[in-house]
Amino acid sequence: MAGKEDNQETPKTTSRNPRTTVRSIDTYAAQCDKCLKWRIIDTETEFEEIRSRMLEEPFVCEQKVGVSCDDPADIEYNASRTWVMDKPGIPRTPEGFRRSLVLRKDFSKMDAYYITPTGKKLRTRNEIAAFLETDPRYKDISISDFNFTSPKVMEDTIPADAVRKSPATGNGNKKMKITKDAA
């Protein structure tokens, strides 16, 4: 990644096998603001804490115990896996809830959902508001604590054999076809 703005984002990776039915995060990482090396973040909770504070407190190697900018990178940004970049400043998921990100089969984007403490999947802000209103245990949680912004899929890491949909031309259901002449 080049440039100051790029290193402010943090990646997540998904399985490289395009035949896998569920493509979810398998590794969390953050890029050091000083040396630009990628560091693996051990847990989703720790990653969310880093991401939520990224604008006020950029990630640096020293935030990991026993790690410095002199150490080799934990992971390299390359096409050995599909990378996605989460926006910095997305609020940390409220305790008991889980933010779920799933990569679409065509690698076009990730869909964000929230899983409630009871296991229910919530897909919209309206569903979250209704859930919070019906249970007094969650009266202290605000709808603003939930963000459906999905991470950006990094085009240069999408598998070459991924079946991609054509750009929006009125019908998003059409698959992109390549003719002999175009190839």
Side-chain angles (χ1 to χ4, degrees):
M1 303 303 291
K4 180 77 168 154
E5 291 175 20
D6 289 340
N7 75 0
Q8 293 298 312
E9 299 182 19
T10 49
K12 296 179 195 164
T13 59
T14 62
S15 173
R16 280 281 287 155
N17 183 352
R19 288 160 189 77
T20 304
T21 51
V22 177
R23 293 179 184 91
S24 59
I25 284 79
D26 68 9
T27 305
Y28 293 94
Q31 189 177 35
C32 177
D33 193 54
K34 292 179 189 174
C35 69
L36 305 182
K37 292 176 185 170
W38 292 101
R39 300 294 176 199
I40 291 176
I41 306 304
D42 296 327
T43 66
E44 180 179 4
T45 303
E46 184 181 358
F47 172 80
E48 284 198 7
E49 186 65 30
I50 291 167
R51 184 199 59 224
S52 70
R53 294 190 335 247
M54 186 68 72
L55 297 173
E56 303 85 33
E57 185 183 331
F59 177 80
V60 291
C61 292
E62 289 74 18
Q63 285 177 260
K64 287 191 70 170
V65 176
V67 177
S68 76
C69 290
D70 295 332
D71 296 324
D74 294 344
I75 190 169
E76 296 294 332
Y77 176 89
N78 59 39
S80 66
R81 60 181 67 227
T82 301
W83 286 65
V84 299
M85 299 289 177
D86 224 353
K87 291 187 177 196
I90 292 175
R92 201 180 69 180
T93 301
E95 192 170 330
F97 290 80
R98 191 168 80 58
R99 185 171 182 244
S100 174
L101 298 166
V102 179
L103 184 63
R104 291 185 178 182
K105 289 180 185 179
D106 68 354
F107 289 78
S108 61
K109 68 177 272 187
M110 292 194 91
D111 293 311
Y113 307 104
Y114 283 91
I115 311 299
T116 69
T118 61
K120 183 175 180 178
K121 182 187 279 189
L122 304 177
R123 294 173 174 84
T124 67
R125 293 178 73 73
N126 288 342
E127 288 180 1
I128 288 174
F131 179 83
L132 295 175
E133 286 176 19
T134 60
D135 196 324
R137 291 179 291 179
Y138 307 110
K139 66 180 177 2
D140 294 334
I141 296 177
S142 168
I143 190 75
S144 64
D145 293 333
F146 299 87
N147 188 305
F148 286 94
T149 301
S150 61
K152 178 183 178 187
V153 179
M154 304 310 291
E155 291 286 328
D156 59 337
T157 66
I158 294 174
D161 61 346
V163 176
R164 305 291 309 269
K165 288 184 182 177
S166 60
T169 55
N171 185 350
N173 294 329
K174 292 184 179 178
K175 303 275 189 210
M176 187 173 1
K177 292 183 180 178
I178 299 176
T179 64
K180 279 186 176 179
D181 296 337

